[in-house]
Amino acid sequence: RKPKLPLCFITTLIRKSKADIYLENLGKKYGHPATIEDLENDYWRAVMNADEYLTVEYGNDLDTAACGSGFPTEAQDPKHGSHPFNFLQMPREEGSMLKFLEFDVKGITQPWMYVGMTFSTFCWHNEDNYLYSINYNHMGHPKIWYGVPGADAMKFEKVFEK
């Protein structure tokens, strides 16, 4: 009998294989193994080309209580489950104001899981309650994050008003 894999894990495996195929084709286009810079250039080319239709698949705000976070719980692995950089543990660490909450808040004290394929994009936004954000790429190809310092938020908003 085959073990049941969580849907988010199966989805990640499928997306990774699509990414591999895309990168192979991108490498052929450039005549060398595709680099992260090639991928980023191709992404922005697609974004700026209004005539090009591109479909990507993306899953956001997956409940890690249901599908797992990629980080072990203390019960599963006492050493790593209690490590301060474990996303399940981080909100309750010394120095965190979140440790005073008496309940979990999904996406704040309980991490969300995101699954995306090549060119998946999440909208630019301020984090909930203007808190900081932390991300971890568990598997797959490199991911590029862009950020805007809070002090420049208004300048960034004005760019998109034009």
Side-chain angles (χ1 to χ4, degrees), residues 86-98:
N86 180 323
F87 283 14
L88 299 173
Q89 184 69 25
M90 197 176 285
R92 305 292 183 215
E93 283 298 306
E94 191 64 38
S96 172
M97 67 180 189
L98 299 173

Side-chain angles (χ1 to χ4, degrees), residues 133-154:
S133 174
I134 187 165
N135 295 273
Y136 185 85
N137 190 16
H138 285 285
M139 62 185 295
H141 295 283
K143 179 176 178 172
I144 297 173
W145 280 277
Y146 296 97
V148 176
D152 293 326
M154 294 307 294

Side-chain angles (χ1 to χ4, degrees), residues 44-57:
W44 286 109
R45 180 198 50 75
V47 167
M48 301 306 290
N49 186 351
D51 297 329
E52 185 172 349
Y53 182 75
L54 187 64
T55 301
V56 296
E57 296 180 24

Side-chain angles (χ1 to χ4, degrees), residues 2-156:
K2 292 182 180 177
K4 289 186 177 181
L5 295 174
L7 178 60
C8 25
F9 183 73
I10 294 169
T11 303
T12 301
L13 291 176
I14 292 168
R15 300 302 168 255
K16 186 170 187 253
S17 65
K18 285 184 177 182
D20 289 335
I21 293 167
Y22 176 80
L23 287 175
E24 286 174 17
N25 290 334
L26 186 63
K28 290 175 187 172
K29 174 180 164 183
Y30 286 111
H32 58 79
T35 64
I36 193 72
E37 290 81 13
D38 294 333
L39 183 62
E40 186 175 21
N41 289 336
D42 216 41
Y43 170 81
W44 286 109
R45 180 198 50 75
V47 167
M48 301 306 290
N49 186 351
D51 297 329
E52 185 172 349
Y53 182 75
L54 187 64
T55 301
V56 296
E57 296 180 24
Y58 181 73
N60 65 308
D61 298 345
L62 300 175
D63 186 353
T64 57
C67 70
S69 68
F71 292 94
T73 63
E74 286 188 74
Q76 292 168 328
D77 180 344
K79 179 182 176 187
H80 296 102
S82 62
H83 194 279
F85 283 106
N86 180 323
F87 283 14
L88 299 173
Q89 184 69 25
M90 197 176 285
R92 305 292 183 215
E93 283 298 306
E94 191 64 38
S96 172
M97 67 180 189
L98 299 173
K99 73 179 182 176
F100 297 106
L101 290 174
E102 296 178 3
F103 50 87
D104 277 326
V105 179
K106 292 181 181 182
I108 305 286
T109 60
Q110 181 185 11
W112 289 121
M113 175 75 77
Y114 297 82
V115 179
M117 64 182 284
T118 304
F119 291 169
S120 60
T121 303
F122 194 77
C123 293
W124 292 78
H125 65 284
N126 283 314
E127 294 299 328
D128 295 336
N129 300 303
Y130 296 91
L131 294 170
Y132 289 106
S133 174
I134 187 165
N135 295 273
Y136 185 85
N137 190 16
H138 285 285
M139 62 185 295
H141 295 283
K143 179 176 178 172
I144 297 173
W145 280 277
Y146 296 97
V148 176
D152 293 326
M154 294 307 294
K155 292 178 195 172
F156 182 75

